[in-house]
Amino acid sequence: MATERTFSIIKPDATKRNLTGAVNAVIEEAGLRIVAQKRILMTRAQAETFYAVHSERPFFGELVDFMISAPVVVQVLEGENAIAKYREVMGATNPANAAEGTIRKKFALSVGENTVHGSDSAENAQIEIAQFFAGNDIVG
Ligand code: ATP
Ligand code: MG
């Protein structure tokens, strides 16, 4: 297995409830290393670009409104098999289906307000990291 980097967002439902540290604790306990992190208020354009793949879905407007409703914490996570591993640590999109111990099971409020994002492929991880971080922002 190779060391990989994945892109993570701690979403507005979590930052509003002061859960940044609690989410980071689960990430670190899972053996993933936070190698870049910043708290930002996304612009509408940033959120629309980020979730462009969902632009035709009925929940797109709601999703973009949610992502800009409060600050988010964007992160780069590094570790063995980090992309698949973080998807596992996050749990299913809908917290009702998320496994015990996952971030979404512990903290998510609903399928929309589901606490975290994680890249779903190596290709998307690269694209998403580059949307928010320059190479020299990431210190492994
Ligand atoms: P993410 O891309 O945020 O990591 P995911 O890959 O688990 O989540 P996607 O299918 O990519 O799930 O959906 C992107 C996001 O859109 C979800 O995390 C959720 O916030 C929102 N979303 C997905 N399905 C719905 C829905 N049925 N109703 C409302 N929001 C939804
Ligand atoms: Mg997704």
Side-chain angles (χ1 to χ4, degrees):
M1 264 185 271
T3 299
E4 292 178 336
R5 285 178 176 173
T6 192
F7 180 72
S8 163
I9 303 177
I10 302 178
K11 295 184 181 182
D13 67 282
T15 62
K16 275 195 280 196
R17 288 178 290 153
N18 214 20
L19 291 174
T20 299
V23 171
N24 279 347
V26 180
I27 289 170
E28 293 186 337
E29 276 157 22
L32 292 165
R33 186 171 291 275
I34 301 163
V35 294
Q37 171 170 266
K38 62 185 171 188
R39 180 173 163 109
I40 61 168
L41 188 57
M42 269 198 204
T43 63
R44 182 169 293 276
Q46 275 178 315
E48 284 176 351
T49 299
F50 184 75
Y51 276 126
V53 65
H54 296 306
S55 61
E56 301 305 318
R57 308 283 285 278
F59 57 80
F60 182 67
E62 188 188 321
L63 174 58
V64 169
D65 287 346
F66 168 60
M67 291 302 289
I68 66 175
S69 65
V72 298
V73 177
V74 293
Q75 306 176 307
V76 181
L77 310 182
E78 186 177 88
E80 287 296 304
N81 208 18
I83 297 160
K85 178 156 202 183
Y86 188 46
R87 295 288 297 187
E88 228 178 87
V89 171
M90 287 162 54
T93 308
N94 185 341
N97 304 326
E100 248 357 280
T102 61
I103 292 170
R104 284 168 168 167
K105 178 71 173 188
K106 281 175 188 279
F107 304 121
L109 300 174
S110 66
V111 66
E113 297 191 293
N114 63 1
T115 309
V116 280
H117 160 82
S119 307
D120 59 11
S121 68
E123 188 193 356
N124 284 337
Q126 255 189 358
I127 293 168
E128 293 171 1
I129 289 168
Q131 193 186 339
F132 293 96
F133 292 100
N136 60 3
D137 292 332
I138 306 167
V139 184

Coordinates of all heavy atoms in Angstrom, one line a residue, residues 19-73:
L19 N -17.1 21.4 16.7 CA -16.7 20.0 16.7 C -15.4 19.8 15.9 O -15.0 18.7 15.6 CB -17.8 19.1 16.1 CG -19.0 19.0 17.0 CD1 -20.1 18.2 16.2 CD2 -18.7 18.2 18.3
T20 N -14.7 20.9 15.5 CA -13.5 20.7 14.7 C -12.5 19.8 15.4 O -12.0 18.8 14.8 CB -12.8 22.1 14.4 OG1 -13.7 22.9 13.7 CG2 -11.5 21.9 13.6
G21 N -12.2 20.0 16.7 CA -11.3 19.2 17.4 C -11.7 17.7 17.6 O -10.9 16.8 17.5
A22 N -13.0 17.6 17.8 CA -13.6 16.2 18.0 C -13.5 15.4 16.7 O -13.1 14.2 16.7 CB -15.0 16.3 18.4
V23 N -13.7 16.1 15.6 CA -13.6 15.4 14.3 C -12.1 15.1 14.0 O -11.7 14.0 13.6 CB -14.1 16.2 13.1 CG1 -13.8 15.6 11.8 CG2 -15.7 16.4 13.3
N24 N -11.2 16.0 14.3 CA -9.8 15.8 14.1 C -9.3 14.7 15.0 O -8.4 13.9 14.6 CB -9.0 17.1 14.4 CG -9.0 18.0 13.2 OD1 -9.4 17.6 12.1 ND2 -8.6 19.3 13.4
A25 N -9.8 14.5 16.2 CA -9.4 13.4 17.1 C -9.7 12.1 16.4 O -8.9 11.2 16.5 CB -10.1 13.5 18.4
V26 N -10.9 12.0 15.8 CA -11.2 10.7 15.1 C -10.3 10.4 13.9 O -9.8 9.3 13.7 CB -12.7 10.7 14.6 CG1 -13.0 9.4 14.0 CG2 -13.6 10.9 15.8
I27 N -10.0 11.5 13.2 CA -9.1 11.4 12.0 C -7.7 10.9 12.5 O -7.1 10.0 12.0 CB -8.9 12.8 11.3 CG1 -10.2 13.1 10.6 CG2 -7.7 12.8 10.4 CD1 -10.3 14.5 10.1
E28 N -7.2 11.5 13.6 CA -5.8 11.2 14.0 C -5.8 9.8 14.7 O -4.8 9.1 14.5 CB -5.3 12.3 15.0 CG -5.1 13.6 14.2 CD -4.4 14.7 15.0 OE1 -4.5 14.7 16.3 OE2 -3.8 15.6 14.4
E29 N -6.8 9.5 15.4 CA -6.9 8.1 16.0 C -6.9 7.0 15.0 O -6.5 5.9 15.2 CB -8.1 8.0 17.0 CG -7.8 8.6 18.3 CD -9.1 9.0 19.1 OE1 -10.2 8.4 18.7 OE2 -9.0 9.8 20.0
A30 N -7.4 7.4 13.8 CA -7.5 6.4 12.7 C -6.1 6.3 12.0 O -5.9 5.5 11.1 CB -8.5 6.8 11.7
G31 N -5.1 7.1 12.4 CA -3.8 7.0 11.8 C -3.5 7.9 10.7 O -2.5 7.8 10.0
L32 N -4.5 8.8 10.4 CA -4.3 9.7 9.3 C -3.6 11.0 9.9 O -4.0 11.4 11.0 CB -5.6 10.1 8.6 CG -6.2 8.9 7.8 CD1 -7.7 9.2 7.5 CD2 -5.5 8.7 6.6
R33 N -2.7 11.6 9.1 CA -2.0 12.8 9.6 C -2.6 14.0 8.9 O -2.7 14.0 7.7 CB -0.5 12.5 9.2 CG 0.4 13.6 9.7 CD 1.9 13.1 9.5 NE 2.2 12.0 10.3 CZ 2.7 12.1 11.6 NH1 2.9 13.3 12.1 NH2 3.0 11.0 12.3
I34 N -2.9 15.1 9.6 CA -3.4 16.3 9.1 C -2.1 17.1 8.6 O -1.5 17.7 9.5 CB -4.2 17.1 10.1 CG1 -5.4 16.2 10.5 CG2 -4.7 18.4 9.5 CD1 -6.1 16.7 11.8
V35 N -1.9 17.2 7.3 CA -0.6 17.8 6.9 C -0.9 19.2 6.3 O 0.1 19.9 6.0 CB 0.1 16.9 5.8 CG1 0.6 15.7 6.5 CG2 -0.7 16.6 4.6
A36 N -2.1 19.6 6.2 CA -2.5 21.0 5.9 C -3.9 21.2 6.4 O -4.7 20.3 6.4 CB -2.4 21.3 4.4
Q37 N -4.2 22.5 6.8 CA -5.5 22.7 7.4 C -5.7 24.2 7.4 O -4.9 25.0 7.9 CB -5.6 22.1 8.8 CG -6.8 22.5 9.6 CD -6.9 21.7 10.9 OE1 -7.6 20.7 10.9 NE2 -6.3 22.1 11.9
K38 N -6.9 24.7 7.0 CA -7.3 26.1 7.2 C -8.8 26.2 7.3 O -9.5 25.5 6.6 CB -6.7 27.0 6.1 CG -7.2 26.8 4.7 CD -6.4 27.7 3.7 CE -6.7 27.2 2.3 NZ -5.9 27.9 1.3
R39 N -9.2 27.3 8.1 CA -10.6 27.6 8.2 C -11.0 28.7 7.3 O -10.3 29.7 7.3 CB -10.9 27.9 9.7 CG -12.3 28.3 10.0 CD -12.4 28.5 11.6 NE -13.6 29.1 12.0 CZ -14.6 28.6 12.6 NH1 -14.5 27.3 12.9 NH2 -15.6 29.2 13.0
I40 N -12.0 28.5 6.5 CA -12.4 29.5 5.5 C -13.9 29.6 5.4 O -14.6 28.7 5.8 CB -11.8 29.1 4.1 CG1 -12.4 27.8 3.6 CG2 -10.3 29.1 4.0 CD1 -12.2 27.5 2.1
L41 N -14.4 30.7 4.9 CA -15.8 30.8 4.5 C -15.8 30.7 3.0 O -15.3 31.6 2.3 CB -16.3 32.2 5.0 CG -17.8 32.4 4.8 CD1 -18.6 31.3 5.5 CD2 -18.2 33.7 5.3
M42 N -16.3 29.6 2.5 CA -16.3 29.4 1.0 C -17.2 30.4 0.4 O -18.3 30.8 0.9 CB -16.9 28.0 0.7 CG -15.9 26.9 0.6 SD -16.6 25.5 -0.3 CE -15.6 24.2 0.4
T43 N -16.8 30.8 -0.8 CA -17.7 31.7 -1.6 C -18.6 30.7 -2.4 O -18.4 29.5 -2.5 CB -16.9 32.5 -2.7 OG1 -16.3 31.5 -3.6 CG2 -15.8 33.3 -2.1
R44 N -19.7 31.3 -2.9 CA -20.7 30.5 -3.6 C -20.0 29.9 -4.8 O -20.2 28.7 -5.2 CB -21.9 31.4 -4.0 CG -23.0 30.7 -4.8 CD -24.2 31.5 -5.0 NE -24.9 31.8 -3.7 CZ -25.7 30.9 -3.1 NH1 -26.1 29.8 -3.7 NH2 -26.3 31.2 -1.9
A45 N -19.1 30.7 -5.5 CA -18.5 30.2 -6.7 C -17.6 29.0 -6.3 O -17.5 28.0 -7.1 CB -17.6 31.3 -7.3
Q46 N -16.9 29.1 -5.2 CA -16.0 28.0 -4.8 C -16.8 26.7 -4.5 O -16.4 25.6 -4.9 CB -15.3 28.3 -3.5 CG -14.0 29.1 -3.7 CD -13.3 29.4 -2.3 OE1 -14.0 29.9 -1.4 NE2 -12.0 29.2 -2.2
A47 N -18.0 26.9 -3.8 CA -18.8 25.7 -3.5 C -19.4 25.1 -4.8 O -19.5 23.9 -4.9 CB -19.9 26.1 -2.5
E48 N -19.8 26.0 -5.7 CA -20.4 25.5 -6.9 C -19.4 24.7 -7.8 O -19.7 23.7 -8.3 CB -21.0 26.6 -7.8 CG -22.3 27.1 -7.2 CD -22.9 28.3 -7.9 OE1 -22.2 28.9 -8.7 OE2 -24.0 28.7 -7.6
T49 N -18.2 25.2 -7.8 CA -17.1 24.5 -8.5 C -16.8 23.2 -7.8 O -16.6 22.1 -8.5 CB -15.8 25.4 -8.5 OG1 -16.1 26.6 -9.2 CG2 -14.6 24.7 -9.2
F50 N -16.7 23.2 -6.5 CA -16.3 22.0 -5.8 C -17.3 20.9 -6.0 O -16.9 19.7 -6.2 CB -16.2 22.4 -4.3 CG -15.7 21.2 -3.5 CD1 -14.3 20.8 -3.5 CD2 -16.6 20.4 -2.7 CE1 -13.9 19.7 -2.9 CE2 -16.1 19.3 -2.1 CZ -14.8 19.0 -2.1
Y51 N -18.6 21.2 -6.0 CA -19.6 20.2 -6.1 C -20.2 20.2 -7.5 O -21.4 19.7 -7.7 CB -20.7 20.4 -5.0 CG -20.3 19.7 -3.7 CD1 -20.3 20.5 -2.5 CD2 -20.0 18.4 -3.6 CE1 -20.0 19.9 -1.3 CE2 -19.7 17.8 -2.4 CZ -19.7 18.5 -1.2 OH -19.4 17.9 0.0
A52 N -19.5 20.6 -8.5 CA -20.0 20.7 -9.9 C -20.6 19.4 -10.4 O -21.6 19.4 -11.1 CB -19.0 21.3 -10.8
V53 N -20.0 18.3 -10.0 CA -20.4 17.0 -10.4 C -21.9 16.7 -10.0 O -22.6 15.9 -10.6 CB -19.5 15.9 -9.8 CG1 -19.6 15.8 -8.3 CG2 -19.8 14.5 -10.4
H54 N -22.4 17.4 -9.0 CA -23.8 17.3 -8.5 C -24.7 18.4 -9.0 O -25.8 18.5 -8.6 CB -23.8 17.2 -7.0 CG -23.1 16.1 -6.4 ND1 -23.3 14.8 -6.7 CD2 -22.1 16.0 -5.4 CE1 -22.6 14.0 -6.0 NE2 -21.8 14.7 -5.3
S55 N -24.3 19.2 -10.0 CA -25.0 20.4 -10.4 C -26.4 20.1 -10.9 O -27.3 20.9 -10.9 CB -24.2 21.2 -11.4 OG -24.0 20.5 -12.5
E56 N -26.6 18.8 -11.5 CA -27.9 18.5 -12.0 C -28.8 17.8 -10.9 O -30.0 17.5 -11.2 CB -27.8 17.6 -13.2 CG -27.0 18.2 -14.4 CD -27.5 19.5 -14.8 OE1 -28.8 19.7 -15.0 OE2 -26.7 20.4 -15.1
R57 N -28.3 17.6 -9.8 CA -29.1 16.8 -8.7 C -30.0 17.8 -8.1 O -29.8 19.0 -7.9 CB -28.1 16.2 -7.7 CG -27.0 15.4 -8.2 CD -27.5 14.0 -8.7 NE -27.7 13.1 -7.5 CZ -26.8 12.4 -6.9 NH1 -25.5 12.6 -7.2 NH2 -27.1 11.6 -5.9
P58 N -31.2 17.3 -7.6 CA -32.2 18.2 -7.0 C -31.7 18.9 -5.7 O -32.3 19.9 -5.4 CB -33.4 17.2 -6.7 CG -32.8 15.8 -6.8 CD -31.6 15.9 -7.7
F59 N -30.8 18.3 -5.1 CA -30.3 18.9 -3.8 C -29.1 19.9 -4.0 O -28.6 20.4 -3.0 CB -29.9 17.8 -2.8 CG -28.8 16.8 -3.3 CD1 -27.5 17.2 -3.3 CD2 -29.2 15.6 -3.8 CE1 -26.5 16.3 -3.8 CE2 -28.2 14.7 -4.3 CZ -26.9 15.1 -4.2
F60 N -28.7 20.2 -5.2 CA -27.6 21.0 -5.5 C -27.7 22.4 -4.8 O -26.7 22.8 -4.2 CB -27.3 21.1 -7.0 CG -26.0 21.9 -7.3 CD1 -24.8 21.4 -7.0 CD2 -26.1 23.1 -8.0 CE1 -23.6 22.1 -7.3 CE2 -25.0 23.9 -8.3 CZ -23.7 23.4 -7.9
G61 N -28.8 23.0 -5.0 CA -28.9 24.4 -4.5 C -28.8 24.4 -2.9 O -28.1 25.2 -2.4
E62 N -29.5 23.4 -2.3 CA -29.5 23.3 -0.9 C -28.0 22.9 -0.4 O -27.6 23.5 0.6 CB -30.4 22.1 -0.6 CG -30.7 21.8 0.8 CD -31.5 20.4 0.9 OE1 -32.3 20.1 0.0 OE2 -31.2 19.6 1.8
L63 N -27.3 22.1 -1.2 CA -26.0 21.7 -0.8 C -25.0 23.0 -0.8 O -24.3 23.2 0.1 CB -25.5 20.7 -1.8 CG -24.0 20.2 -1.7 CD1 -23.7 19.6 -0.3 CD2 -23.8 19.1 -2.8
V64 N -25.1 23.8 -1.9 CA -24.3 24.9 -2.0 C -24.6 25.9 -0.9 O -23.7 26.5 -0.2 CB -24.4 25.6 -3.4 CG1 -23.7 26.9 -3.5 CG2 -23.8 24.6 -4.5
D65 N -25.9 26.2 -0.7 CA -26.3 27.1 0.4 C -25.8 26.6 1.8 O -25.3 27.4 2.6 CB -27.9 27.2 0.5 CG -28.5 27.9 -0.6 OD1 -27.8 28.7 -1.3 OD2 -29.7 27.8 -0.8
F66 N -25.8 25.4 2.0 CA -25.3 24.8 3.3 C -23.8 25.0 3.4 O -23.3 25.5 4.4 CB -25.6 23.3 3.3 CG -24.9 22.6 4.4 CD1 -25.1 22.9 5.8 CD2 -24.1 21.5 4.1 CE1 -24.4 22.2 6.8 CE2 -23.4 20.8 5.1 CZ -23.6 21.2 6.4
M67 N -23.1 24.7 2.3 CA -21.6 24.8 2.4 C -21.1 26.2 2.6 O -19.9 26.4 3.0 CB -21.0 24.2 1.1 CG -21.2 22.7 1.0 SD -20.5 21.7 2.3 CE -18.7 21.9 2.1
I68 N -21.9 27.2 2.3 CA -21.5 28.6 2.5 C -22.2 29.3 3.7 O -22.0 30.5 3.9 CB -21.7 29.5 1.2 CG1 -23.1 29.7 0.9 CG2 -20.9 28.9 0.0 CD1 -23.4 30.6 -0.3
S69 N -22.9 28.5 4.5 CA -23.7 29.0 5.6 C -22.9 29.3 6.8 O -23.4 30.0 7.7 CB -24.8 28.0 5.9 OG -24.3 26.8 6.4
A70 N -21.7 28.8 6.9 CA -20.8 29.0 8.0 C -19.4 28.6 7.6 O -19.2 28.0 6.5 CB -21.3 28.2 9.2
P71 N -18.4 28.9 8.4 CA -17.0 28.5 8.0 C -16.9 26.9 7.9 O -17.6 26.2 8.5 CB -16.2 28.9 9.2 CG -16.9 30.1 9.8 CD -18.4 29.7 9.6
V72 N -15.9 26.5 7.0 CA -15.5 25.1 6.9 C -14.0 25.1 7.2 O -13.4 26.1 7.2 CB -15.8 24.6 5.5 CG1 -17.3 24.6 5.2 CG2 -15.0 25.3 4.4
V73 N -13.6 23.9 7.5 CA -12.1 23.6 7.7 C -11.7 22.7 6.5 O -12.2 21.6 6.5 CB -11.8 23.1 9.0 CG1 -10.3 22.8 9.2 CG2 -12.2 24.0 10.2

